[in-house]
Amino acid sequence: MKHRVTVVAVALALMASAGVVLAQQQTGEIFGRVADTSGAVLPGTVVTVSGPALIQPRVAVTSETGTYRFPELPIGTYTVTAELAGFRTIIRQDIRLTIGFSAQVNFDLDVSAVEESVTVTGETPLVDTRSTTAKTTFDLDTLQNIPSARDPWAMLERAPGIAMDRVNVGGTQSGQQASQVSRGSWTANNKWSMDGVDITDMSAVGASPIYYDFDMLQEMQVTTGGADVTQQTGGVGINFVTRSGTDALRGSGRFYVTDDKFESANVTDEIRLQGAGSGAPIQNIKDYGFEVGGPILRGKLWFWGSYGKQDVKAGIVGFYLPTDRCQAMKAALRLDPLAYPIKEVWECLGTDGTELNNYNWKINWAPFQGNRFSFQNTWAEKYKNARDASDTRPPETTFIQSAVPKEYGKWGWLTGPSPVWKASDQHILSDRWLVEATWAHVGNNFILNFQSPDLNDVQPVYEITTGVWGRSYQRAGPYIRPTNSVDVLTNYFLPSRLGGDHQFKAGLRWRIAMAHSETHWGGNTVARFRNGVASEAYLYRDTITEYDLKTWALYLQDTFTMKRLTLNLGVRYDRQRDYARPTSVPAHPFIPDWLPAVSFDGADSGIVWNDVSPRLGMTYDLMGTGKTVAKASFSIYYGQMSSGQVAGTLNPVTQALIAFPWADANGDRVVQRNELDFSRILTFGGNYNPDNPTALTTVGTVDPGIKADRTREFIAGVDHELMPNFAVSASYIWRKYDRFHWNDRVGLTSADYVARTFTPTCTAANARCETVTYYEPAIPIPAAYIYTNIPDMYRDYNGFELVAIKRYSDRWQATVSYAFNNSVDNWASPNAYEDPTCRTGTGNNAVCPPSQQFAPEASASGIDNIFTNAKWLVKASGMYTLPWWDIGLAGFYNLRQGYPFPQAVRTPSRANRAGTVDVLLEPLGELRLDNLYTLDFRVDKTFQFGKMKMVPGLDIFNVTNVNTVLARRRLQGAADAGNISGIVAPRVMRFGVRVTW
């Protein structure tokens, strides 16, 4: 009774303290039952768990039901021992724990008059009998031995059911974050976690704040559904556990190099004539570093540290070096795509030149029995010399990306490489009760700068028909995005109550995320041309914003086990609120009457999202052996608020834009005030009222009833262990998404639009010069808007996944998956859209259809014009060790449906400030690019020198040298209509060596 009172008191204290939970686990657990050979349970049995990942062994005594439990164990390999006087001691070795896995280890003890023990090896369960979470775990062997580009986004591509926005062949796309679609969810609701800390970037919401040294990772887990109360959102959960020291001094070092000397050309003359140019070759990639860990005081204090560097140089289609020779080649290739041999063209391709530096260190300390303290630090640094380089962004329009320079003195210690700091303390109060507290700081700063300071006042030029930029671009940043968080987690085991055992889990988090952002367009103006003729000018005021986002959350879950049945009954509470800080921006340099200076005093929208989400899960051990388990779960998830998502509506210093017709009177291709037609506003944007341009207040308001976006999910499936170390699973997944957000123009509905037709003038071969219907407003678009939920719009998802896993044994390992996805956006009435022009619809029948495939466009991080949607995906990976000479073989095969190719016509500038719009010629997903498949292969050889191993290896990426088209230019009125803008990179070899000791 005393214990129960204590547990209730702790739970109430947690609830009163506030917080957002641990985004993902960094540990696993071992649990089980001890009985004699007749099946009678044995209370009082002493169970001990020990292993290299534990500084000190942990001990539990079985309950009156014969059960025991060890929660929050670091991932690793363990030995579990059961001892009871009068019985033979049983020792179970090599129990492998991965992130979040609950390993059931039961004991049947024989009566024995003498003290003796029996050791059993290699009986790690493969089916988790308690969890309903859909997860893919990449252990250290898989991370190191399955061929990949050696970054976390490449591993996401290997997880079942996930469709990526890019194909990373041997590192061609490394150093830039990829986006992904999983079960109808886009990147914005992803959660990133490192060693139990939620590190998600809350400004570029759903993204990672840093890049990683691949060899810092001990394990990586990807969750795609069925999450328990520890995950807030329905997006993909990406969870890292970094390496730690042990009582044994050990370490590793590596050097990998990929070079164009060992690269094949995969571009045929046929696709060169379609604009593929030279393809996307690797020029040179180096990846090297080391990590080392060991004891400072054995059994008491451990250390670990690492350094890693990636230097990535890859050629970019249509992006040529600014030398006279290469620019002459570019001009010649426009006239004759076959004018130069492929390898000669490669010599002229520019690169975005990515460098990643990563520094890590960690201390683990057991100051006294039952206590474990950890302190760690990561420094992550990224430099990129031409971010967003492409055939539409020549060198002078690309960004230099770097950490925020020290000269931004206002930010002091927040400049320089981005850090992660973490301190945690875990205390075991008894063999049934554990408490852990964590503090973390995540720094996140960078700047996207002009190629030269001289471009600060140079106006960019933009060709409307092709989307090609020139002359200059913008500075984005500095971005300063630090977060601080405090977490408390507790576990309590309460056996033999209400007919079964209860495993309580409760947690809380408080987190604050600050975000400072700046944007400046060169000359504050973009000169826009249509077919080379001056047409319009887009004029921008600078942006300087600062926001605070405060989140609290609390969860409580009971895992109730009664014989073969386990129920996971949980509830989660999230509270989210953002604030806008005071900032000021200067006026536009030559139209200050239209875009004046603004000083903003800050604002609080008063909007607080308070969401309570249930998580209900059930597992049933069909045969009572732990090898065949039926699973089902129902979950509700709520979206995460980004920094400034709501309060930004009330901020008048967000980006303000106004556009006017422009006639280049003096022919200098530079916009001057006297060349603008102020009588007609083409379009405008931001929290700005062109009808009252000197007003220093926002035009946006917030719906007081606005709610967080919502995901509802149901999953049912079966996991079955066919034989030792080999299991299969099958799952059906249903999801429904709703309560999306938009800016609803006040006083404007779809009924205020009138139909117009337009027939483009096509110059490209095979372009579709079809007459399209579009809509333009009959009244000027109002400036005032309200930020609210979109009515009558929702998304349905139905999917099926089949996965087979063979854990490494008998010299081989494999994972094979098949996923079918059907993700459909639905508009139930005209209230669901304001502008009836179907930008994602049916061309001549321009009113949006009632439903169509969900295929978000990737438009950042170095990729554009990709619409991520594959109804089916097949993935297979595996490795095999030959029975002689320590030779290892491994491979990865990826096959998926081609992504949509939404051909479109760009309209003229529409009346009443509506700007242009792209009208699709068929429903999204109806026309697709070719199906994609790629094959990667690895071979290595292990040499043993005492305790040291040296493993030289060869990786071959895109073994069959496919040249599948990944993107085409889709604007039919453009000169480059249908041109290939992205293909799979060619076959390439990577040579490397790894040394471990």
Side-chain angles (χ1 to χ4, degrees):
M1 180 65 185
K2 182 178 179 181
H3 277 304
R4 273 188 264 177
V5 171
T6 305
V7 172
V8 171
V10 171
L12 290 174
L14 288 172
M15 293 179 185
S17 301
V20 173
V21 304
L22 296 175
Q24 288 289 334
Q25 290 178 278
Q26 59 174 321
T27 58
E29 72 169 2
I30 294 175
F31 73 98
R33 175 191 54 81
V34 181
D36 63 21
T37 52
S38 72
V41 298
L42 295 176
T45 303
V46 177
V47 183
T48 304
V49 61
S50 60
L54 278 179
I55 296 180
Q56 298 170 344
R58 285 170 56 177
V59 179
V61 178
T62 57
S63 68
E64 54 266 45
T65 60
T67 53
Y68 73 92
R69 175 174 172 264
F70 294 103
E72 305 299 320
L73 289 172
I75 63 172
T77 302
Y78 289 91
T79 296
V80 186
T81 304
E83 301 174 273
L84 182 63
F87 291 85
R88 182 179 289 112
T89 298
I90 303 293
I91 303 170
R92 297 199 182 277
Q93 296 181 332
D94 297 333
I95 305 299
R96 298 173 58 189
L97 276 189
T98 57
I99 302 171
F101 189 82
S102 296
Q104 182 173 336
V105 181
N106 294 332
F107 293 88
D108 294 322
L109 303 187
D110 292 326
V111 176
S112 177
V114 296
E115 292 185 4
E116 59 178 330
S117 62
V118 176
T119 301
V120 181
T121 302
E123 291 192 1
T124 305
L126 194 57
V127 172
D128 192 328
T129 60
R130 292 189 172 187
S131 175
T132 59
T133 301
K135 56 194 175 188
T136 302
T137 301
F138 302 104
D139 61 15
L140 184 61
D141 286 341
T142 303
L143 291 172
Q144 296 295 342
N145 296 324
I146 298 297
S148 77
R150 291 178 49 82
D151 74 34
W153 293 271
M155 301 312 296
L156 278 171
E157 185 180 37
R158 284 144 178 77
I162 294 182
M164 306 298 294
D165 70 349
R166 65 198 68 201
V167 179
N168 191 348
V169 177
T172 53
Q173 299 292 333
S174 292
Q176 203 62 47
Q177 296 195 38
S179 296
Q180 59 278 328
V181 170
S182 173
R183 299 181 173 185
S185 178
W186 188 227
T187 304
N189 272 328
N190 286 357
K191 298 296 286 184
W192 293 79
S193 174
M194 186 168 73
D195 290 329
V197 175
D198 182 349
I199 61 172
T200 309
D201 189 333
M202 301 310 296
S203 295
V205 65
S208 169
I210 62 171
Y211 293 82
Y212 306 87
D213 169 14
F214 202 63
D215 279 12
M216 70 190 275
L217 304 180
Q218 176 73 21
E219 197 163 288
M220 173 181 173
Q221 186 181 85
V222 179
T223 61
T224 54
D228 67 8
V229 292
T230 59
Q231 174 137 333
Q232 173 188 353
T233 69
V236 176
I238 302 99
N239 187 17
F240 305 115
V241 173
T242 62
R243 300 197 191 194
S244 296
T246 68
D247 262 343
L249 180 65
R250 51 148 301 279
S252 67
R254 91 280 183 174
F255 182 85
Y256 295 95
V257 63
T258 314
D259 193 83
D260 60 7
K261 294 184 181 67
F262 305 97
E263 187 169 25
S264 303
N266 67 341
V267 182
T268 65
D269 288 351
E270 179 183 1
I271 65 173
R272 291 183 77 188
L273 292 171
Q274 298 176 54
S278 59
I282 285 175
Q283 295 175 337
N284 183 272
I285 299 176
K286 294 184 180 69
D287 178 348
Y288 55 90
F290 69 90
E291 56 86 24
V292 63
I296 299 174
L297 295 173
R298 293 186 185 275
K300 197 79 171 177
L301 183 63
W302 298 343
F303 78 94
W304 173 82
S306 77
Y307 167 72
K309 183 181 182 69
Q310 284 183 286
D311 185 352
V312 181
K313 295 180 175 64
I316 297 171
V317 175
F319 183 70
Y320 292 88
L321 296 171
T323 64
D324 291 342
R325 172 177 172 269
C326 292
Q327 290 303 304
M329 178 184 292
K330 177 181 178 180
L333 289 169
R334 284 177 178 170
L335 299 175
D336 179 8
L338 307 180
Y340 291 86
I342 287 291
K343 293 291 181 87
E344 191 172 339
V345 177
W346 283 6
E347 296 173 1
C348 269
L349 286 185
T351 178
D352 55 8
T354 303
E355 293 184 15
L356 304 177
N357 290 287
N358 201 280
Y359 311 82
N360 300 274
W361 61 271
K362 181 189 296 185
I363 296 291
N364 291 322
W365 178 36
F368 50 87
Q369 187 65 38
N371 188 269
R372 179 186 176 100
F373 177 79
S374 176
F375 190 80
Q376 65 190 79
N377 169 234
T378 290
W379 291 98
E381 182 178 37
K382 175 180 176 180
Y383 176 83
K384 206 174 185 75
N385 68 14
R387 177 164 169 166
D388 288 357
S390 73
D391 57 333
T392 63
R393 293 279 300 278
E396 69 276 10
T397 72
T398 60
F399 295 113
I400 293 178
Q401 179 176 353
S402 68
V404 176
K406 294 293 184 183
E407 55 260 32
Y408 287 84
K410 172 184 176 182
W411 300 107
W413 63 278
L414 293 176
T415 60
S418 295
V420 177
W421 295 93
K422 176 200 169 185
S424 66
D425 187 72
Q426 181 188 94
H427 190 69
I428 300 170
L429 299 173
S430 72
D431 62 349
R432 297 186 182 181
W433 191 6
L434 177 149
V435 176
E436 183 170 8
T438 301
W439 165 85
H441 168 81
V442 181
N444 178 10
N445 76 79
F446 64 98
I447 188 170
L448 306 178
N449 222 330
F450 291 104
Q451 285 292 323
S452 165
D454 296 338
L455 299 179
N456 187 76
D457 298 320
V458 176
Q459 297 175 4
V461 295
Y462 178 75
E463 174 54 52
I464 298 169
T465 62
T466 61
V468 174
W469 292 86
R471 200 160 62 190
S472 179
Y473 199 63
Q474 68 172 215
R475 171 178 54 79
Y479 295 108
I480 308 289
R481 302 170 176 174
T483 64
N484 293 282
S485 62
V486 175
D487 295 274
V488 179
L489 168 71
T490 187
N491 278 268
Y492 188 80
F493 180 47
L494 184 64
S496 190
R497 295 294 188 274
L498 301 177
D501 294 343
H502 300 262
Q503 176 183 321
F504 292 103
K505 174 169 59 177
L508 62 86
R509 170 172 290 166
W510 167 85
R511 191 181 190 208
I512 183 169
M514 190 274 276
H516 173 92
S517 302
E518 300 182 21
T519 305
H520 168 73
W521 283 91
N524 293 92
T525 305
V526 176
R528 292 167 60 98
F529 296 78
R530 189 181 292 272
N531 294 316
V533 178
S535 174
E536 54 201 46
Y538 275 42
L539 303 110
Y540 296 88
R541 185 170 57 201
D542 286 353
T543 303
I544 304 176
T545 62
E546 287 186 20
Y547 299 103
D548 283 334
L549 171 66
K550 295 181 180 179
T551 59
W552 301 258
L554 173 70
Y555 68 81
L556 179 65
Q557 179 168 296
D558 178 18
T559 300
F560 173 64
T561 303
M562 182 173 58
K563 296 182 179 179
R564 300 182 188 181
L565 176 68
T566 298
L567 299 176
N568 291 301
L569 309 174
V571 64
R572 178 186 173 95
Y573 165 72
D574 286 284
R575 176 183 173 88
Q576 304 178 85
R577 184 171 189 170
D578 68 346
Y579 309 83
R581 292 181 173 185
T583 52
S584 300
V585 294
H588 188 279
F590 61 81
I591 57 164
D593 47 333
W594 287 93
L595 294 171
V598 178
S599 292
F600 172 52
D601 295 331
D604 175 6
S605 70
I607 299 299
V608 181
W609 287 348
N610 292 292
D611 297 306
V612 177
S613 52
R615 307 291 165 83
L616 309 174
M618 182 276 291
T619 69
Y620 187 76
D621 186 350
L622 293 175
M623 310 302 293
T625 61
K627 298 182 184 299
T628 305
V629 180
K631 301 185 176 185
S633 67
F634 175 77
S635 303
I636 297 178
Y637 310 97
Y638 293 97
Q640 53 191 348
M641 183 184 291
S642 63
S643 300
Q645 178 177 340
V646 179
T649 304
L650 308 178
N651 191 343
V653 295
T654 59
Q655 182 170 278
L657 153 71
I658 190 165
F660 300 104
W662 167 52
D664 187 16
N666 60 9
D668 65 355
R669 296 172 61 84
V670 177
V671 178
Q672 282 103 32
R673 181 184 176 95
N674 62 358
E675 298 174 337
L676 298 173
D677 178 3
F678 293 109
S679 67
R680 182 186 173 200
I681 298 173
L682 299 177
T683 190
F684 66 97
N687 293 338
Y688 163 74
N689 186 355
D691 299 322
N692 186 13
T694 59
L696 305 183
T697 56
T698 180
V699 295
T701 56
V702 180
D703 177 359
I706 191 171
K707 299 177 181 179
D709 60 284
R710 178 175 60 182
T711 304
R712 285 167 283 182
E713 174 191 75
F714 171 75
I715 301 176
V718 176
D719 292 357
H720 176 58
E721 186 173 330
L722 288 171
M723 60 185 69
N725 297 306
F726 186 32
V728 295
S729 67
S731 302
Y732 163 75
I733 307 101
W734 169 87
R735 282 187 168 191
K736 185 171 184 177
Y737 302 81
D738 62 1
R739 305 199 326 199
F740 304 111
H741 303 118
W742 68 345
N743 293 330
D744 186 13
R745 293 288 174 179
V746 177
L748 184 69
T749 70
S750 58
D752 295 312
Y753 282 74
V754 295
R756 298 284 185 262
T757 59
F758 173 67
T759 304
T761 300
C762 292
T763 58
N766 301 318
R768 295 170 60 181
C769 295
E770 301 175 15
T771 299
V772 297
T773 300
Y774 66 95
Y775 287 75
E776 64 184 10
I779 60 174
I781 290 181
Y785 70 91
I786 183 169
Y787 186 61
T788 185
N789 297 110
I790 304 176
D792 301 333
M793 182 185 175
Y794 59 94
R795 181 179 308 136
D796 285 323
Y797 174 84
N798 286 276
F800 174 78
E801 292 181 8
L802 181 64
V803 181
I805 298 176
K806 168 63 169 63
R807 188 165 50 205
Y808 188 82
S809 63
D810 301 323
R811 299 194 303 271
W812 71 285
Q813 168 190 336
T815 300
V816 180
S817 68
Y818 168 81
F820 172 79
N821 307 289
N822 190 31
S823 185
V824 179
D825 280 332
N826 300 274
W827 295 267
S829 79
N831 294 327
Y833 47 85
E834 193 170 79
D835 181 350
T837 305
C838 194
R839 309 171 207 200
T840 53
T842 55
N844 291 335
N845 181 20
V847 175
C848 287
S851 63
Q852 63 182 5
Q853 287 290 306
F854 167 66
E857 181 180 6
S859 57
S861 294
I863 290 290
D864 67 346
N865 202 31
I866 302 287
F867 292 79
T868 311
N869 173 289
K871 282 194 171 183
W872 53 266
L873 305 99
V874 177
K875 304 180 183 184
S877 63
M879 56 185 178
Y880 176 68
T881 304
L882 295 176
W884 55 85
W885 303 324
D886 280 332
I887 293 176
L889 308 175
F892 171 66
Y893 178 74
N894 186 28
L895 171 66
R896 65 159 171 81
Q897 184 184 35
Y899 288 166
F901 175 40
Q903 297 180 91
V905 169
R906 180 164 291 172
T907 68
S909 290
R910 298 180 293 172
N912 290 312
R913 313 193 293 209
T916 61
V917 65
D918 297 340
V919 184
L920 299 193
L921 299 182
E922 51 269 315
L924 192 61
E926 185 173 290
L927 179 65
R928 291 179 178 267
L929 300 167
D930 291 339
N931 297 338
L932 167 75
Y933 81 90
T934 56
L935 175 64
D936 303 330
F937 176 76
R938 174 180 175 83
V939 59
D940 58 41
K941 169 74 173 75
T942 300
F943 296 92
Q944 187 90 35
F945 305 97
K947 293 183 179 181
M948 185 181 76
K949 290 183 180 180
M950 184 173 67
V951 186
L954 167 67
D955 296 274
I956 307 175
F957 299 97
N958 189 9
V959 171
T960 58
N961 205 31
V962 300
N963 57 8
T964 309
V965 174
L966 301 176
R968 291 182 181 271
R969 294 299 169 196
R970 58 194 191 90
L971 294 180
Q972 298 304 292
D976 62 355
N979 277 8
I980 295 170
S981 60
I983 69 169
V984 176
R987 176 175 54 233
V988 66
M989 296 182 183
R990 179 176 69 200
F991 297 88
V993 62
R994 170 175 298 278
V995 177
T996 61
W997 64 90

